[in-house]
Amino acid sequence: RHPNAAIACPVHAEEEGGRNRIPRALAAYAAKALGMRLDDDIVQIVRAHHTGKDAFFRLTHRALFDGKVEAGKEYILVDDHITQGGTINELRNYIENNGGRVVDVFSLTASQGSTILKPSEGQLADLRVRYGDELGQLLEYGDIAADPSAITASEAAYILKLSPDTFRNRVAEARRERLVEGDDGGVR
């Protein structure tokens, strides 16, 4: 499916229990079996502490990545589990914003509804009706995304389950907690 020698790019993540080695092992196996190169340069540069956390925590504690992206090259992203898709989506955004092209995503397991990264037009329309212009401001203020189209379908579904007041209050609370912890964030 990827004749241009796609690069297997695992999620390199530090978690509470240490470095998650499963994505790299899976990517290394796939790269060898399929004749792809393995990327060891792109790494997650913040500990998101997602393991065992709820959906809102995952939404407001985004992964950040750094490392060399080969412009014009195709990338296949590899992770062990996709919960809401936020981490893999942030990796996709990082690669695409730096000139690479993500052509596929591979995971051993995924939570129900998490395998569609891009929110549907219907979800985006429902978010616009419910929040109007305020949604973009809340996402940016909460250090979640610069634009509603940058969240995942699973994240959009989660936000749509919350009342606007609940979402506003939880975003403000998460922002205060990060400021107390000394992390003033920055849109990811």
Side-chain angles (χ1 to χ4, degrees):
R1 291 178 41 190
H2 308 288
N4 296 330
I7 300 168
C9 183
V11 172
H12 286 263
E14 289 288 334
E15 297 176 358
E16 290 184 51
R19 178 172 291 134
N20 183 354
R21 291 180 168 84
I22 298 170
R24 189 189 184 290
L26 182 60
Y29 179 81
K32 184 175 182 181
L34 301 173
M36 297 185 295
R37 288 188 296 132
L38 175 66
D39 180 277
D40 273 324
D41 196 51
I42 300 171
V43 297
Q44 187 173 321
I45 58 171
V46 295
R47 285 184 66 189
H49 300 286
H50 285 172
T51 303
K53 302 297 186 191
D54 70 5
F56 195 81
F57 185 93
R58 290 173 165 277
L59 184 66
T60 58
H61 291 75
R62 310 300 276 187
L64 285 177
F65 293 89
D66 194 20
K68 184 180 184 309
V69 174
E70 295 185 40
K73 294 292 185 178
E74 293 183 342
Y75 284 82
I76 297 175
L77 309 184
V78 181
D79 204 355
D80 58 337
H81 181 78
I82 298 175
T83 303
Q84 283 183 296
T87 300
I88 207 83
N89 196 43
E90 293 295 339
L91 179 56
R92 179 189 62 80
N93 285 332
Y94 177 78
I95 289 171
E96 290 179 351
N97 288 335
N98 286 283
R101 291 187 326 118
V102 174
V103 294
D104 219 336
V105 174
F106 178 76
S107 169
L108 288 175
T109 60
S111 297
Q112 185 174 1
S114 67
T115 58
I116 299 170
L117 293 183
K118 183 178 178 182
S120 71
E121 288 303 319
Q123 286 177 310
L124 291 172
D126 290 347
L127 287 167
R128 282 190 293 274
V129 166
R130 179 174 269 182
Y131 290 94
D133 293 337
E134 183 184 19
L135 180 62
Q137 295 165 357
L138 284 168
L139 293 174
E140 190 167 347
Y141 179 75
D143 198 24
I144 297 166
D147 180 84
S149 64
I151 61 176
T152 67
S154 178
E155 292 167 336
Y158 175 75
I159 293 169
L160 285 166
K161 289 179 186 176
L162 301 174
S163 74
D165 285 341
T166 298
F167 186 59
R168 276 185 219 96
N169 291 340
R170 294 210 53 201
V171 165
E173 179 183 325
R175 173 109 177 153
R176 281 191 302 275
E177 286 174 9
R178 278 198 312 276
L179 291 171
V180 167
E181 295 168 0
D183 174 15
D184 63 355
V187 175
R188 304 206 191 332

